[in-house]
Structures are given as structure tokens and as C-alpha cells.
Amino acid sequence: MTLRPGRLAALATSGILAVGALVATPTTAQAAPNSYAYSAARWLEDQLTDGVFVNPAYDFADYGLTIDVYFTLKDLDTRAATQSRIISALSQKVDDYTTSGEYGPDDRYAGATGKLAAAVQASGGDATSFGGVDLVQRAEERVVDSGAAAGRAKDLTSTGDDYSNTIGQSWVVRALDTAGSADAASTLAYLLRQQCANGAFRINLEDSQCATPGDDDVLSLDATALAVQTLEGIDDPALSDEITRSVDYLVSQQAADGSFSDQGTPNTNTTGLAAATLRSAGRTAEAGAAASWIVGKQVTDANAEDSKLANELGAIAYDPTAFAQGRTDGITDATRDQWVRATAQAAAGVNAQLPATTFTVTGPTGFVQGGKAATITVDGLVARERYTVSGAAATPGKAAVTGATTIAVTPSDTTANRVVTVTGGRSVRTGNVTIKVLGTKKIGISLNTAKVAAGKRVNVYLSGLVPGEKAQVSWRGKRLAAGVADRSGKVTYKLSVGSTKGSASVVGFGQFTTRTNKTTLRVS
């Protein structure tokens, strides 16, 4: 079945039906995808028939979604044979995807043309001669040459409708820049007009520069992420400010649980695209948090058992509702399209999952006072990675941008060796340190005599201390170092009482003033 213009428009403008990840194409060998991304890639491969995804609900070959799958496999550097089959299949269907086919053979869709050209270029193919078509020339023909709209890549349709948007513009920019086209600069300039002062890109193309977004400007995380990936692929250091502003905007929109939303509910489609973008921009902590959120919506051996998803390992649901429905009903012909779209978008994002590691955590070498803040340091957290602490009271936070992260922890006011554990963005990213805590206590104190002559000495016996704990004795307002507790927790101190006569308190202290007791001594 040929793709109708109306359906193509839906694919180009809506959220879950829309965006294929414009993921960074590997130019050198890279690490194998993690287990989550690998299983997603394997599941995506199984959804193809002769290199194409055929929508089972409406029985049509969805070439746009097929390209999404291609870019995901390319980004993950896996399933090379399947990548080749996809490109080969698309070479036979250029007009079916980039035009309206039987519904308007002279129609030309800018975004689809740019997207296919970019896929061919990523595969190492020649986009100027693909399936008998010069895709670069066709993309150039869609670029407005002059006037306020100069640089805009517009659709040509028999009805006069134009479905082009920022997502399609990004594809055209990428394809023309890669081809070294003379139109690359104008299309890039027009794309940058869609970036607002806050770094976000609006989804609907406008000829004027977006400054402060107005009520009519629909800001899109998907469009922003795709634009960032396009800008990152252009060899121009002057774009660094634009990239930074957009990346900062994306980070500002991330929920505390790591997810992202694009004009609606948090979903793996948008979260996956954002995760892949943030990872390529070096924001590994935020990308890892997004990936962790996605994992909870992926079919695994653990969560598919005794459900109708048991044969769909690796698939990623659009959101928690879709996942719950899948467990009950399975992935049906009616829902498979959504699952494939979500997985194609999320697979590259889930590869941003932070790896398991053991942090190096260091703390005070001696005793710390119970109920009082102490400082520990953590090595191994990535910059801005969220962490939590157990074993002592501490405020959850984010790791330092560089170097070790210091954390104030407050152990409970009891004497014990406390294991303080720091956990990063995943439960398998953790480390601990043991802190020796001395809690508030009334220690033991006694004298060898309650009455002593002036100028003499008296033995002060302290007990109930912890072995190795420092002790002090206070006599007539003067603190005196009494020694260190032995293995039985005792200290004996010979106190010179001086010449002043009369009764006074002998006060004993452990290492902290909260560990104390006193008795009375008479000097005669």
C-alpha cells in the first residue's frame, strides 16, 4: 500500500507517530551496545519483512519507520546485514516514500527526501544516485531560494498543502551539509531561526527568528533534540553556543525520575531521543537517568514471565500504560506500530545506561560524633549524576562536575560502626565506607579515694569507653588529656589536685563532650 499524503503528514508532525532518531553515525569502532540496547535491536530486526516494516493494522510498508530502525541499528553499530537489507529495500521504493505515488506522482516531500538522503549517506552510499534518483538534487529543489522564507525546505503537493516542519528541516540540513550542497548554508540559517532564546526549537516553521517563545510557538523536545544532533554533525565551531543552549534546555525539561515529555505524557519515544542526544553532548549523567527510566518499560526475562509479552523480549513500550496493556493483551496488530516506533526511538537512548561500577568512598579515619555532620568523599560518580545515601542521614544530590564529590552525612546518635552506602543513578553503581560513630553516653568515672591531701595525686578511673577512644579529665576548669582507652574501654589518669582546698567536681570525657560523667573530690 502506498503512503497517502495525509498519513505522511501525520508521520511528519505528531509525537509518537513522528520522529526517527537522528542519531550520531559511528565513524570509528565503538563499544558493543549494552544488553538493553542489544535486545531492543534484535527485536527491531525481527519486525522487518525483507528489510521493511509493514504496518500490520493497515497493511502498508512504512518506509519512514524503517529508516528509523536503520538509524538505530547504525548508531548501535549492530546488525550490519540488516542495515544493508534496509538500504537495499529502500532503493526500490524512493518515490513511494518521498512522493505521494499514485495519489500525486509529482508531489515531493522535503523532510522525507532529506531523511532518506541522510540514511543513504550514513550507509556510505551515494545520495546523488540512489534507486535511479538524485536525492540531493530533489532536496535542493525543495529549498526556497529567496525572500523571507529563503532556506526553508517546503513540500510540493498538488493540493498546495505544506507539511514541512522543523524535524524535516533538520533532515534536509543534514543531507545537504553532508553532500556539500550550495544550499546547505541557507537551510541551516533557516533552521536556526526556529531556535528560541531559551534554546528550545519550535516544531512549526516560521520565517521570523524565534526570540522569547509566544503562545503560538509550540516548543518541541523532539525537534530540539533532533536539531542538536544535526548541529553536532556540522563541522562548525561557531555553532557551539546554539548547541549548548539547546542541551541546557533539554536538561531543564528532564523530570526527577529521568523521563522526558513532548507535549504530553512522559514517554520512551521522547526520552530515548533526549537520552541519545544528551549522551552525544557529553551529559552522561542525565542521559543515564533517562536510560534507566526507559529500562522500566522494556520487556525483559524478569518482567515478561507469565505475561503475553514473553515472546517480545527487547521491545520497549511507549509508556507505563502501554506496557501494562501489553502484559495483559500482548502486542497486537493494532498496537505493534506504536511499540516499533517507541523501540526504534528508545533503543539508542537506552544504550546511554550508566555501567555498573564500585565507587571509592572515603570518610573520617577516626571516630565521629553521633548526630553531627561528617564529610565523606566519593570517586567514580559521573558529573551531575544523582546519588542517594543510606546508613546515615544525607540530602540526595548530584555529583560534582569535576573531581571527587563531597557529601555531608549525619550518623545516628548511637555508638556503632556504621556502613554508609552511596548509590548513583543505578543500584549497581554503588560504594560504601565504614564510619566509627560514638554516640551520647554517660561514661563511668570513679576515684581511688574521695578525699586527698593538698598537693597529692588521685587516680581517676574512666570506663565504658570504646577501645582507642581519646579521653580527658577536667579539674577546676582545666581540661587535661587523660589518654586513650584500652581494649576494655578503660583509662586511668593520675590527677595532681594542686594546693587549693575544698570540694570540686572531677569531670571525665570521652572523645566528645556528649560522652561524660562526673564525681566529687575533697581536697584537705
Side-chain angles (χ1 to χ4, degrees):
M1 177 178 177
T2 305
L3 199 58
R4 291 187 176 90
R7 181 175 298 281
L8 183 58
L11 293 177
T13 58
S14 63
I16 179 62
L17 296 178
V19 192
L22 178 54
V23 289
T25 303
T27 56
T28 58
Q30 63 180 38
N34 65 29
S35 60
Y36 301 106
Y38 181 84
S39 63
R42 183 175 56 190
W43 183 83
L44 285 171
E45 180 182 55
D46 291 342
Q47 308 313 302
L48 304 178
T49 301
D50 297 328
V52 174
F53 175 71
V54 179
N55 186 305
Y58 298 99
D59 190 29
F60 75 91
D62 193 329
Y63 302 116
L65 181 52
T66 300
I67 296 175
D68 295 345
V69 174
Y70 166 77
F71 271 112
T72 294
L73 300 181
K74 183 69 175 176
D75 180 66
L76 297 175
D77 196 21
T78 189
R79 300 297 197 266
T82 300
Q83 294 178 43
S84 296
R85 281 194 294 273
I86 290 173
I87 297 299
S88 177
L90 291 172
S91 71
Q92 309 300 312
K93 302 296 181 180
V94 174
D95 284 341
D96 283 5
Y97 176 52
T98 62
T99 78
S100 294
E102 64 191 76
Y103 295 97
D106 295 326
D107 292 358
R108 296 288 185 268
Y109 293 98
T113 303
K115 185 175 180 178
L116 180 56
V120 174
Q121 292 164 336
S123 73
D126 183 2
T128 66
S129 179
F130 183 70
V133 175
D134 187 339
L135 291 170
V136 174
Q137 179 181 335
R138 282 196 180 178
E140 291 171 334
E141 290 170 351
R142 304 284 22 93
V143 178
V144 177
D145 293 327
S146 60
R152 175 172 178 165
K154 297 185 66 173
D155 296 334
L156 173 67
T157 66
S158 56
T159 62
D161 294 322
D162 180 14
Y163 305 111
S164 60
N165 60 17
T166 300
I167 292 168
Q169 186 79 16
S170 292
W171 286 116
V172 172
V173 170
R174 178 179 183 180
L176 295 187
D177 178 76
T178 302
S181 168
D183 289 325
S186 67
T187 57
L188 171 60
Y190 195 85
L191 174 63
L192 291 175
R193 290 186 207 171
Q194 313 315 312
Q195 185 181 33
C196 304
N198 63 357
F201 279 75
R202 57 193 175 195
I203 185 66
N204 299 317
L205 296 172
E206 300 288 346
D207 295 341
S208 60
Q209 177 68 51
C210 180
T212 301
D215 293 338
D216 295 333
D217 293 310
V218 180
L219 305 184
S220 168
L221 290 184
D222 288 345
T224 301
L226 283 167
V228 168
Q229 292 187 19
T230 296
L231 299 180
E232 286 180 330
I234 297 173
D235 185 17
D236 186 354
L239 295 172
S240 61
D241 287 345
E242 286 82 359
I243 292 171
T244 298
R245 280 195 292 127
S246 288
V247 169
D248 288 344
Y249 173 77
L250 288 174
V251 170
S252 75
Q253 300 303 301
Q254 187 170 29
D257 62 5
S259 67
F260 287 86
S261 305
D262 194 63
Q263 305 169 44
T265 183
N267 65 85
T268 60
N269 191 279
T270 298
T271 302
L273 178 57
T277 303
L278 293 174
R279 185 190 190 201
S280 68
R283 299 299 294 263
T284 54
E286 292 88 347
S292 292
W293 187 83
I294 295 170
V295 166
K297 289 79 191 166
Q298 184 172 25
V299 182
T300 64
D301 284 321
N303 60 32
E305 187 177 0
D306 298 326
S307 81
K308 291 192 176 181
L309 292 175
N311 294 322
E312 307 283 3
L313 295 180
I316 300 173
Y318 177 65
D319 59 17
T321 299
F323 187 81
Q325 182 181 353
R327 284 183 55 85
T328 301
D329 302 332
I331 301 178
T332 66
D333 285 351
T335 61
R336 189 164 295 275
D337 174 86
Q338 187 192 67
W339 280 80
V340 174
R341 289 184 190 283
T343 306
Q345 195 88 330
V350 82
N351 200 41
Q353 179 85 296
L354 295 173
T357 191
T358 300
F359 303 139
T360 299
V361 186
T362 56
T365 55
F367 294 108
V368 300
Q369 183 177 346
K372 294 290 185 179
T375 299
I376 63 173
T377 60
V378 186
D379 279 306
L381 289 159
V382 301
R384 294 174 293 272
E385 181 177 1
R386 295 180 183 272
Y387 62 78
T388 57
V389 178
S390 60
T395 303
K398 291 184 179 181
V401 175
T402 58
T405 297
T406 59
I407 304 173
V409 299
T410 304
S412 60
D413 191 14
T414 54
T415 299
N417 288 338
R418 297 289 178 188
V419 177
V420 178
T421 301
V422 179
T423 303
R426 299 177 61 196
S427 60
V428 292
R429 295 177 59 78
T430 187
N432 61 66
V433 65
T434 299
I435 296 179
K436 297 182 290 184
V437 183
L438 297 178
T440 299
K441 182 180 181 180
K442 188 174 183 179
I443 64 173
I445 184 170
S446 61
L447 308 172
N448 65 325
T449 179
K451 182 189 297 186
V452 66
K456 297 297 184 179
R457 291 185 176 185
V458 64
N459 288 342
V460 181
Y461 304 108
L462 303 181
S463 61
L465 302 170
V466 171
E469 181 179 0
K470 295 178 182 178
Q472 291 182 317
V473 169
S474 176
W475 171 243
R476 298 192 186 279
K478 185 177 180 180
R479 288 282 189 95
L480 306 165
V484 176
D486 61 18
R487 287 185 293 179
S488 61
K490 296 178 179 179
V491 169
T492 300
Y493 179 69
K494 295 185 179 297
L495 173 65
S496 296
V497 300
S499 60
T500 303
K501 297 182 180 181
S503 297
S505 293
V506 179
V507 184
F509 295 97
Q511 191 151 329
F512 304 108
T513 57
T514 53
R515 298 168 61 78
T516 185
N517 202 352
K518 64 182 179 179
T519 189
T520 300
L521 175 65
R522 181 176 176 79
V523 179
S524 59

